[in-house]
Amino acid sequence: MENLRINSERLWDSIMQMGRIGATAGGGVGRVALSDLDRQARDLFVRWCEQADCTVRVDRMGSIFARRAGSDNARPPVLTGSHLDTQPLGGKFDGIYGVLAGLEIVRTLKDAGLQTKAPIDVVNWTDEEGVRFGSGTMASAVFAGRYNLDHGLTRADMDGNTMGAALEEIDYAGPEPVGGYPVAAFFEAHIEQGPILEAEGKAVGVVLGAQGQRCFKVTVDGEEGHAGTLPMVQRRDALVGAARMIDAVNAIAFKHQPHPVITVGALKVRPNSRNTIPGQVVFSIDSRHPANDLLADIADKMRRTCEHIATDAGLGLSFEQISHRNTIEFDERCSGDIRKMADRLGIAHMDIYSGAGHDACNLALCAPTGMVFVPCERGISHNEKENARPEDLAAGCDVLLHVILERAGTV
Ligand SMILES: [Zn+2]
C-alpha cells in the first residue's frame, strides 16, 4: 500500500476535459456557479463518480457528495473535495483540482481493489466563488452551521433571483439535509494561488491556516450636475471623493507591509455619464490580515479616513461591513499527517498560510480540517492564464491519497 500512487495522466486529462466546459478564448474557464455550464460540469462529475462505483447524494444547498463505501459505513466519512465553479474569467485549476483529486483517489482505490474502513466522500461545494450571489463559500458555511439553510437559499443575485430558485433551475436542489452529521476529517487540495511554493521549489504546501478577511461596501453620495455649467468650487463630485478614499485605503496597506492586503475591485458610478458630474459611487473594499486584532484596527483606520475625506468634500458616506471572517487555524493533527505523508513519499514540502478563503475555512469550524497546496505558475489565479504542472498536481494528490487512507483506515 505504501507504493500506491495515483494516475497522474488520468488526473491531468480529467482536469483538461472539465476545462472544456465553459472554455474561454483566452485559454481559461468561465463557469459561474448555478449557470447551465455549472450544471454540465456537475453532470460530468456525477457520471465520473458513478463510474468509479460511488453513490451520489445532493444536499439542499446543491453540494454533491460522492461516497465510496467503507467496510463500516456507520463510521463518520472522511471528506475531501473543493469546487467546480469558477470566476467569469477564471482558470482550469482553482477548485477543480481539489474535486478531481478526490475523484482520482477513489478511482485509484477502485483500481487497486482497496477497501477503507470509513467511507470516503468526494464533495463539490456549491458556489465557492460567490460571483453571482455575492457570498462565496455559502454552501460549506451552511454545512458547518455558520448560517442556517434559509439564509443560504435566500441569497439573491442582482436581479433578485435566489440561490434556491437557481438550484431548482439547474436541477441540483437536492433532498439531503445540509451537514449536521459527524465528519472524521476534511482535506482540501488546492493550487496555492500565490507565488511562494514555486519560488521555494516545493511541490506541496502544508497549509496551517488562512488569514482573516473583512469586506466593506462604501457608498459616497454627492450631487449630479452638468459637466459644462457647474463651476468646480460648487461641485460635490462623488467620484473624486471616492478616488481619494481608494488612494487613502491603498496607502494604509502600504504603510503596514507585508500585511494587510487591501483591494478595491468593484466600482459603480451613478449615472456613469461622460458629461454629468457623478452623484453617487459605490465601491468595495476587501481587506485581509493574519492577525484578527490588527485586521479590526485597519477597518477602523479605513473608516475614519473615508469619513474625514467625505466631510472635507461635503459628501455623504455610508461605510458598511458586509462580511467578516476571522483567521482560521487548521487542525494540527491534519497538517501533521500531510507533513508526515509528504516526507514518507519524498515530496518537498513547506508550511504555508493561505491568503485566500476556501471552503476548508468553514469546515474547520465543524470537523478536523487540513489543506494541501500545490504551486501554480507565477502564482497567477483568478485569471485565464492560471496554470500548474502535472507533476505537482500528482504530488499533492499522492499526499492526499495517503493522508486519507490513513484517516479512513484500511481493511
Ligand atoms: Zn478555489
Side-chain angles (χ1 to χ4, degrees), residues 82-83 94-95 128-129 188 190 193 357-358 382:
S82 189
H83 59 97
D94 172 3
E128 192 272 348
E129 299 287 0
E188 180 169 0
H190 207 284
Q193 305 181 280
H358 295 285
H382 282 199

PDB file of all heavy atoms in Angstrom, residues 82-83 94-95 128-129 188 190 193 357-358 382, ligand 1:
ATOM      1  N   SER A  82     -13.529  20.176  -3.228  1.00  0.00           N
ATOM      2  CA  SER A  82     -13.379  21.627  -3.357  1.00  0.00           C
ATOM      3  C   SER A  82     -14.547  22.117  -4.224  1.00  0.00           C
ATOM      4  O   SER A  82     -15.684  21.713  -3.950  1.00  0.00           O
ATOM      5  CB  SER A  82     -11.995  21.932  -3.957  1.00  0.00           C
ATOM      6  OG  SER A  82     -11.694  23.301  -3.917  1.00  0.00           O
ATOM      7  N   HIS A  83     -14.293  22.888  -5.248  1.00  0.00           N
ATOM      8  CA  HIS A  83     -15.415  23.445  -6.015  1.00  0.00           C
ATOM      9  C   HIS A  83     -15.164  23.412  -7.520  1.00  0.00           C
ATOM     10  O   HIS A  83     -14.020  23.581  -7.961  1.00  0.00           O
ATOM     11  CB  HIS A  83     -15.708  24.886  -5.582  1.00  0.00           C
ATOM     12  CG  HIS A  83     -14.525  25.808  -5.761  1.00  0.00           C
ATOM     13  ND1 HIS A  83     -14.376  26.610  -6.865  1.00  0.00           N
ATOM     14  CD2 HIS A  83     -13.422  26.039  -4.992  1.00  0.00           C
ATOM     15  CE1 HIS A  83     -13.254  27.318  -6.749  1.00  0.00           C
ATOM     16  NE2 HIS A  83     -12.655  26.978  -5.623  1.00  0.00           N
ATOM     17  N   ASP A  94      -8.284  26.268 -10.192  1.00  0.00           N
ATOM     18  CA  ASP A  94      -8.800  26.777  -8.916  1.00  0.00           C
ATOM     19  C   ASP A  94     -10.087  26.033  -8.556  1.00  0.00           C
ATOM     20  O   ASP A  94     -11.103  26.197  -9.223  1.00  0.00           O
ATOM     21  CB  ASP A  94      -9.046  28.294  -9.058  1.00  0.00           C
ATOM     22  CG  ASP A  94      -9.770  28.902  -7.852  1.00  0.00           C
ATOM     23  OD1 ASP A  94     -10.047  28.180  -6.877  1.00  0.00           O
ATOM     24  OD2 ASP A  94     -10.056  30.113  -7.900  1.00  0.00           O
ATOM     25  N   GLY A  95     -10.020  25.206  -7.519  1.00  0.00           N
ATOM     26  CA  GLY A  95     -11.177  24.438  -7.082  1.00  0.00           C
ATOM     27  C   GLY A  95     -11.298  23.107  -7.802  1.00  0.00           C
ATOM     28  O   GLY A  95     -11.416  22.053  -7.176  1.00  0.00           O
ATOM     29  N   GLU A 128     -18.486  28.296  -4.584  1.00  0.00           N
ATOM     30  CA  GLU A 128     -17.390  28.767  -3.730  1.00  0.00           C
ATOM     31  C   GLU A 128     -17.055  30.220  -4.041  1.00  0.00           C
ATOM     32  O   GLU A 128     -16.716  31.002  -3.167  1.00  0.00           O
ATOM     33  CB  GLU A 128     -16.150  27.875  -3.928  1.00  0.00           C
ATOM     34  CG  GLU A 128     -15.054  28.098  -2.895  1.00  0.00           C
ATOM     35  CD  GLU A 128     -14.060  29.190  -3.257  1.00  0.00           C
ATOM     36  OE1 GLU A 128     -14.057  29.655  -4.421  1.00  0.00           O
ATOM     37  OE2 GLU A 128     -13.299  29.600  -2.384  1.00  0.00           O
ATOM     38  N   GLU A 129     -17.133  30.564  -5.335  1.00  0.00           N
ATOM     39  CA  GLU A 129     -16.608  31.870  -5.768  1.00  0.00           C
ATOM     40  C   GLU A 129     -17.515  33.041  -5.388  1.00  0.00           C
ATOM     41  O   GLU A 129     -17.045  34.165  -5.247  1.00  0.00           O
ATOM     42  CB  GLU A 129     -16.365  31.868  -7.286  1.00  0.00           C
ATOM     43  CG  GLU A 129     -15.339  30.821  -7.763  1.00  0.00           C
ATOM     44  CD  GLU A 129     -13.895  31.190  -7.401  1.00  0.00           C
ATOM     45  OE1 GLU A 129     -13.681  32.241  -6.783  1.00  0.00           O
ATOM     46  OE2 GLU A 129     -13.001  30.404  -7.734  1.00  0.00           O
ATOM     47  N   GLU A 188      -8.768  19.387   1.838  1.00  0.00           N
ATOM     48  CA  GLU A 188      -8.967  20.056   0.549  1.00  0.00           C
ATOM     49  C   GLU A 188      -7.623  20.289  -0.124  1.00  0.00           C
ATOM     50  O   GLU A 188      -6.719  20.886   0.465  1.00  0.00           O
ATOM     51  CB  GLU A 188      -9.692  21.406   0.751  1.00  0.00           C
ATOM     52  CG  GLU A 188      -9.932  22.155  -0.566  1.00  0.00           C
ATOM     53  CD  GLU A 188     -10.882  23.362  -0.432  1.00  0.00           C
ATOM     54  OE1 GLU A 188     -11.366  23.635   0.693  1.00  0.00           O
ATOM     55  OE2 GLU A 188     -11.141  24.017  -1.462  1.00  0.00           O
ATOM     56  N   HIS A 190      -5.675  22.182  -3.242  1.00  0.00           N
ATOM     57  CA  HIS A 190      -5.949  23.413  -3.993  1.00  0.00           C
ATOM     58  C   HIS A 190      -4.636  23.955  -4.535  1.00  0.00           C
ATOM     59  O   HIS A 190      -3.594  23.752  -3.919  1.00  0.00           O
ATOM     60  CB  HIS A 190      -6.585  24.447  -3.045  1.00  0.00           C
ATOM     61  CG  HIS A 190      -7.465  25.449  -3.728  1.00  0.00           C
ATOM     62  ND1 HIS A 190      -6.964  26.501  -4.446  1.00  0.00           N
ATOM     63  CD2 HIS A 190      -8.818  25.540  -3.816  1.00  0.00           C
ATOM     64  CE1 HIS A 190      -7.976  27.204  -4.933  1.00  0.00           C
ATOM     65  NE2 HIS A 190      -9.123  26.647  -4.577  1.00  0.00           N
ATOM     66  N   GLN A 193      -2.405  29.650  -5.498  1.00  0.00           N
ATOM     67  CA  GLN A 193      -2.905  30.968  -5.934  1.00  0.00           C
ATOM     68  C   GLN A 193      -1.981  32.092  -5.486  1.00  0.00           C
ATOM     69  O   GLN A 193      -2.393  33.260  -5.401  1.00  0.00           O
ATOM     70  CB  GLN A 193      -4.333  31.242  -5.429  1.00  0.00           C
ATOM     71  CG  GLN A 193      -5.327  30.157  -5.828  1.00  0.00           C
ATOM     72  CD  GLN A 193      -6.738  30.433  -5.354  1.00  0.00           C
ATOM     73  OE1 GLN A 193      -7.061  30.186  -4.196  1.00  0.00           O
ATOM     74  NE2 GLN A 193      -7.578  30.939  -6.235  1.00  0.00           N
ATOM     75  N   GLY A 357      -9.546  32.742   0.922  1.00  0.00           N
ATOM     76  CA  GLY A 357     -10.514  31.963   1.685  1.00  0.00           C
ATOM     77  C   GLY A 357     -10.863  30.703   0.909  1.00  0.00           C
ATOM     78  O   GLY A 357     -10.756  30.672  -0.315  1.00  0.00           O
ATOM     79  N   HIS A 358     -11.237  29.649   1.622  1.00  0.00           N
ATOM     80  CA  HIS A 358     -11.600  28.387   0.969  1.00  0.00           C
ATOM     81  C   HIS A 358     -12.743  27.754   1.742  1.00  0.00           C
ATOM     82  O   HIS A 358     -12.977  28.079   2.907  1.00  0.00           O
ATOM     83  CB  HIS A 358     -10.401  27.420   0.964  1.00  0.00           C
ATOM     84  CG  HIS A 358      -9.243  27.898   0.156  1.00  0.00           C
ATOM     85  ND1 HIS A 358      -9.238  27.881  -1.222  1.00  0.00           N
ATOM     86  CD2 HIS A 358      -8.045  28.441   0.518  1.00  0.00           C
ATOM     87  CE1 HIS A 358      -8.103  28.372  -1.669  1.00  0.00           C
ATOM     88  NE2 HIS A 358      -7.357  28.726  -0.629  1.00  0.00           N
ATOM     89  N   HIS A 382      -7.369  33.280 -10.538  1.00  0.00           N
ATOM     90  CA  HIS A 382      -8.492  34.147 -10.918  1.00  0.00           C
ATOM     91  C   HIS A 382      -8.136  34.843 -12.226  1.00  0.00           C
ATOM     92  O   HIS A 382      -8.317  36.047 -12.385  1.00  0.00           O
ATOM     93  CB  HIS A 382      -8.817  35.170  -9.817  1.00  0.00           C
ATOM     94  CG  HIS A 382      -9.600  34.566  -8.690  1.00  0.00           C
ATOM     95  ND1 HIS A 382     -10.332  35.285  -7.785  1.00  0.00           N
ATOM     96  CD2 HIS A 382      -9.790  33.264  -8.349  1.00  0.00           C
ATOM     97  CE1 HIS A 382     -10.921  34.479  -6.926  1.00  0.00           C
ATOM     98  NE2 HIS A 382     -10.592  33.244  -7.247  1.00  0.00           N
TER      99      HIS A 382
HETATM  100 ZN    ZN B   1     -10.831  27.980  -5.070  1.00  0.00          ZN
END
